[in-house]
Amino acid sequence: MSENTTTLPVYLDGHATSPLAPEAEAAMAPWWHRRAANAHSPHRRGTEAAAAVEQARVEVANLVGAAPQEIVFTSGATESNNIAILGIADAADRAGDGRREVIISAIEHKSVLSAAKSLEERGFSVQVCPVGKDGRLDILAFERLLSDQTLLVSVMAANNEVGTVQPIGAVLPMVRALGAMIHVDAAQLAGKLATDVADYDSASISSHKMYGPMGVGALFISAAAQYRPRPLFHGGAQEAGLRPGTLPTPLIAGFGAAAKVAASRLEQDSVHVRALADRLVAGLEARQVRFRRNVPNEHQLPGSLSLGLFGVDAPSLIDALADTVCLSEGSACTSGQIQASHVLAAIGFSEVEMRETIRIYCGRYNDVSQIDYAATAIADAVYRMTLAHWTNPPVRSAHEGCSHRF
Ligand code: PMP
């Protein structure tokens, strides 16, 4: 292992968050101190901050094929998903729209699942559409769920656990034919693959998934949407009253810079991260690690891997590598109890298979030497664990050092 040259730990958890791009860091710097101002202040500093915010709005809009006035800054995709789902339902309700059905996919992020489920308390019915073995929406099942009672459909663009890109192009004409609205959680796709939200009613974007700062994101709302979401918060006129609160100028400037960089190197990044993921897989194979790819790689985001390591307890492996290689697991642990991943469960994996699963995202700033280090470290740890298992079979206890999936 080239421990001397590789800075540890090697970070391969880019689905959870990505490291900050230097361009984003540089764009943020002046707005913390030297040029700090509230973008709504009437003086020169305020005007400069407002201009920086508007410039970032243009960059984010350009990245996803939207018009700048269709972009609302939020604290991230969690908030964007909540505003879209709850706000559209509220707007439709107030307009006297009788449709009371919402369809979501079974592998949505919790911020979509929980927001949609909360609508049940308000008399909406929420249908959960299954996915196939390939980790993608079951189109036939979706078609059966869709009806003239469907108000809103929410399907993610790409999944954060297995990296599957969802067939939105197939869903869209069906949704439109019935006059329903569509929200797309594009948190994992935007900045990684070409993204065009223009045909959706709304879409969520997260800065920290595309090498921008944490704590900021955007909600695209189409100018043509039948209902503009109603705000969830009250008390200010910012973002046309939809998302009141002082705009975080530094974060927004960093987000805009990250969006601009991403747009300029989508192809370059894709080629790079795909090659790294392929190299990691080849490296594990060469070291006789036995694993399955949980979903076919043709529909995965470049750089994304969901691997089931045969006979390996993934949480223990991740613990063993915690200081050297940052990986994420396929099952999450809450209060000492292992919880099945709703995504892996929806795809049809058994509890054992979920427990064998590790999630990896090779990102823009990873390099070949890091990948080689990771392949060796994972293979060594798997070997040590397998050996320990045979020489001293463990008594199963609740996994300590739990982590959560994001
Ligand atoms: N949706 C998806 C698909 C995500 O992966 C995430 C973050 N893991 C979110 C929403 C939430 O994004 P944020 O952290 O910006 O709130």
Side-chain angles (χ1 to χ4, degrees):
M1 264 182 251
S2 51
E3 204 156 332
N4 295 337
T5 53
T6 306
T7 308
L8 300 182
V10 173
Y11 185 80
L12 297 181
D13 196 15
H15 278 308
T17 194
S18 50
L20 192 65
E23 295 88 342
E25 191 172 2
M28 285 196 286
W31 304 105
W32 293 117
H33 181 66
R34 195 162 43 82
R35 302 178 77 180
N38 187 322
H40 285 267
S41 293
H43 43 68
R44 177 170 154 198
R45 285 280 194 80
T47 316
E48 286 170 359
V53 166
E54 293 319 309
Q55 183 55 36
R57 203 185 300 278
V58 170
E59 306 298 0
V60 172
N62 286 347
L63 178 70
V64 297
Q69 60 274 18
E70 294 175 313
I71 296 293
V72 172
F73 286 117
T74 64
S75 63
T78 298
E79 187 184 347
S80 299
N81 285 335
N82 274 273
I83 297 177
I85 292 167
L86 303 179
I88 287 173
D90 192 16
D93 211 11
R94 284 170 192 253
D97 193 309
R99 292 173 297 175
R100 277 280 181 281
E101 288 183 14
V102 174
I103 303 176
I104 59 173
S105 90
I107 59 169
E108 293 301 301
H109 187 261
K110 285 275 162 70
S111 56
V112 167
L113 285 172
S114 303
K117 284 283 172 192
S118 78
L119 287 176
E120 287 176 343
E121 289 159 21
R122 294 205 230 153
F124 284 84
S125 121
V126 179
Q127 325 271 351
V128 179
C129 183
V131 294
K133 281 265 166 229
D134 59 357
R136 302 180 89 214
L137 192 81
D138 180 336
I139 297 290
L140 291 178
F142 180 80
E143 199 169 13
R144 282 195 293 272
L145 290 175
L146 202 59
S147 78
D148 59 4
Q149 288 308 301
T150 309
L151 169 69
L152 178 65
V153 166
S154 187
V155 178
M156 67 199 332
N159 182 264
N160 49 306
E161 287 190 45
V162 292
T164 43
V165 176
Q166 298 301 310
I168 312 267
V171 165
L172 198 58
M174 299 181 200
V175 174
R176 290 294 177 231
L178 283 165
M181 292 180 70
I182 182 162
H183 171 68
V184 175
D185 177 356
Q188 292 287 347
L189 191 85
K192 296 194 180 95
L193 284 181
T195 307
D196 188 356
V197 298
D199 291 334
Y200 312 150
D201 292 297
S202 57
S204 300
I205 310 163
S206 175
S207 155
H208 74 108
K209 308 288 182 184
M210 58 163 90
Y211 310 99
M214 291 172 166
V216 64
L219 174 62
F220 156 80
I221 303 164
S222 168
Q226 183 183 2
Y227 297 114
R228 185 175 167 79
R230 301 249 325 150
L232 303 189
F233 305 144
H234 303 274
Q238 293 93 343
E239 300 300 84
L242 181 55
R243 206 283 184 167
T246 304
L247 290 166
T249 315
L251 300 184
I252 291 174
F255 181 18
K260 186 176 178 185
V261 180
S264 73
R265 46 182 297 160
L266 279 180
E267 182 60 25
Q268 188 187 343
D269 277 357
S270 290
V271 170
H272 174 65
V273 301
R274 193 190 300 278
L276 293 181
D278 288 349
R279 188 177 179 103
L280 185 56
V281 165
L284 294 176
E285 281 167 352
R287 289 164 181 84
Q288 275 82 47
V289 178
R290 292 180 57 247
F291 62 89
R292 80 182 152 264
R293 294 190 76 139
N294 283 336
V295 287
N297 119 288
E298 75 212 72
H299 295 304
Q300 270 182 313
L301 287 169
S304 184
L305 294 172
S306 173
L307 306 179
L309 303 168
F310 294 119
V312 172
D313 184 57
S316 305
L317 175 83
I318 289 161
D319 276 355
L321 292 172
D323 293 333
T324 52
V325 186
C326 300
L327 306 170
S328 165
E329 58 202 16
S331 47
C333 181
T334 313
S335 315
Q337 297 291 313
I338 296 290
Q339 281 199 339
S341 141
H342 71 281
V343 172
L344 295 175
I347 298 173
F349 289 104
S350 67
E351 275 190 27
V352 170
E353 288 167 331
M354 290 191 249
R355 233 190 130 101
E356 291 173 336
T357 292
I358 56 170
R359 173 184 80 163
I360 290 172
Y361 182 77
C362 304
R364 182 191 292 165
Y365 301 110
N366 289 124
D367 61 27
V368 165
S369 70
Q370 292 177 331
I371 296 301
D372 292 347
Y373 180 92
T376 310
I378 294 170
D380 284 355
V382 168
Y383 179 71
R384 278 196 303 274
M385 285 172 64
T386 315
L387 210 62
H389 181 85
W390 292 116
T391 50
N392 186 15
V395 180
R396 261 284 139 74
S397 64
H399 165 60
E400 289 163 14
C402 301
S403 64
H404 298 267
R405 227 171 315 94
F406 304 98

